[in-house]
Amino acid sequence: MSNAGEVSHGMAQIRANPRLHYVSAGEGDRVIVLLHGFPQTWWEWHRVIPSLVKAGYRVIAPDYRGAGHSSRMPAGYDKRTLADDVRMLLQDELEIRQKVVMVGHDIGLMVAYAYAEQFRDSVSHLVVMDAPLPGTKVFDDIRLDPRVWHFAFHGARDIAEMLVVGRERQYLQAFFNARIYDPSALSQDDLDLYKSAYSAPGAMRAGFELYRAFDQDVQDNREALERNGKLGVPVLAVYGAISNTGARIEAMMLEVAEDVTPLRIPASAHWIAEENPAAFVEGLLQFLNQPQD
């Protein structure tokens, strides 16, 4: 298993609950926050973190509530609540006061947007990776695509849990393979790690609850857009060459942001940070190094 370089692990108490596990690496005033997707943990970023540290960034990669070593709560899986968890981790636990680069993939995209929308003065750049954003027209279209059958399946409370319990590894293997360009990008060790995380008591239920909150996310995002208008920060919209979302992610983000730059990652599908981390980091750093008005 490849490693993520020198990372430190921490556990932060958020309110009375939950506890959030996170890793950090690097140092300095330039901070990048990496938010993983489902069915992953902070480990999604293990091939990206060393390059960002080498480029001079301090990297924070949490397991959001319900995932990895973070608390598996009975509720609170709407993305605004998850974003507020991250805010408390950064500001209260880590005492980060400067603006951060917020990066989110898959479910993490939804949390990253919710963070940038709620805490606009705390974000310098937003990077969103290969997923539909609830509340947009693109989300409505993709939700009806047969290739995203898992939206409906995960939404079937109790049924999904009943059918997956005891078969977590098989389910995760099939889930990854259906959305991958390079099957070798995820090793057996990687799958074992994710299987261990999502076969823990309550973990798969927590993952499914992320999807069951989509209707609330749709309402929250539409109301926020009407109330506050589009985001003003620079947005990088990243997609894999053969992903389901694809180039529509640019149009999607233009629904909610003024300044959007698309980035197509070759030789990748949905699992960009693991399939082609070098191309992703190159494009990310180029975006971050552009002069700002």
Side-chain angles (χ1 to χ4, degrees), residues 5-268:
E6 294 295 326
V7 301
S8 299
H9 293 256
M11 193 72 77
Q13 189 73 48
I14 306 297
R15 308 181 187 91
N17 273 305
R19 295 205 308 161
L20 287 192
H21 169 255
Y22 65 95
V23 301
S24 60
E27 57 186 15
D29 292 332
R30 297 190 298 173
V31 178
I32 293 183
V33 180
L34 305 174
L35 301 177
H36 64 85
F38 174 88
Q40 296 173 289
T41 68
W42 78 268
W43 183 251
E44 170 181 348
W45 307 105
H46 71 279
R47 296 176 182 170
V48 169
I49 291 173
S51 298
L52 295 179
V53 171
K54 185 177 180 180
Y57 285 90
R58 178 184 178 190
V59 180
I60 310 295
D63 292 331
Y64 50 62
R65 73 163 61 194
H69 294 294
S70 293
S71 299
R72 292 179 282 277
M73 307 298 294
Y77 291 94
D78 65 281
K79 309 313 172 290
R80 291 175 72 87
T81 296
L82 268 68
D84 196 48
D85 289 344
V86 175
R87 178 192 65 83
M88 297 185 74
L89 166 66
L90 298 179
Q91 297 184 8
D92 297 346
E93 176 75 13
L94 300 177
E95 298 183 345
I96 293 172
R97 301 288 180 252
Q98 66 270 38
K99 292 184 177 182
V100 303
V101 178
M102 190 62 59
V103 180
H105 169 244
D106 188 77
I107 293 293
L109 172 154
M110 304 174 190
V111 182
Y113 170 76
Y115 190 103
E117 199 291 316
Q118 290 181 94
F119 314 117
R120 298 190 177 209
D121 293 338
S122 299
V123 176
S124 66
H125 301 76
L126 174 64
V127 181
V128 294
M129 298 173 63
D130 208 75
L133 178 67
T136 63
K137 296 175 183 177
V138 170
F139 178 87
D140 292 341
D141 291 341
I142 290 177
R143 201 174 192 178
L144 300 176
D145 189 327
R147 292 176 296 177
V148 293
W149 54 267
H150 57 286
F151 280 24
F153 176 63
H154 293 173
R157 183 171 281 114
D158 295 336
I159 301 299
E161 286 90 334
M162 177 183 67
L163 295 176
V164 172
V165 66
R167 305 178 182 89
E168 290 86 359
R169 196 181 199 285
Q170 295 95 318
Y171 184 69
L172 296 183
Q173 177 79 73
F175 196 86
F176 283 119
N177 284 350
R179 297 163 182 82
I180 203 162
Y181 175 90
D182 177 9
S184 70
L186 286 161
S187 70
Q188 294 305 307
D189 286 340
D190 293 328
L191 288 170
D192 286 343
L193 186 150
Y194 292 136
K195 182 263 183 183
S196 177
Y198 282 93
S199 60
M204 196 62 83
R205 179 200 56 79
F208 294 156
E209 289 295 333
L210 296 164
Y211 292 79
R212 294 163 187 163
F214 280 175
D215 288 343
Q216 182 65 53
D217 298 331
V218 166
Q219 180 179 335
D220 288 343
N221 288 344
R222 287 177 177 167
E223 290 177 353
L225 180 62
E226 182 176 355
R227 181 174 60 250
N228 301 323
K230 294 184 178 183
L231 296 179
V233 296
V235 176
L236 182 66
V238 185
Y239 63 98
I242 63 165
S243 73
N244 292 342
T245 307
R248 288 180 290 181
I249 194 171
E250 179 184 8
M252 178 186 82
M253 292 311 298
L254 284 170
E255 293 185 47
V256 297
E258 299 285 357
D259 180 3
V260 179
T261 301
L263 176 63
R264 178 182 182 271
I265 304 296
S268 67

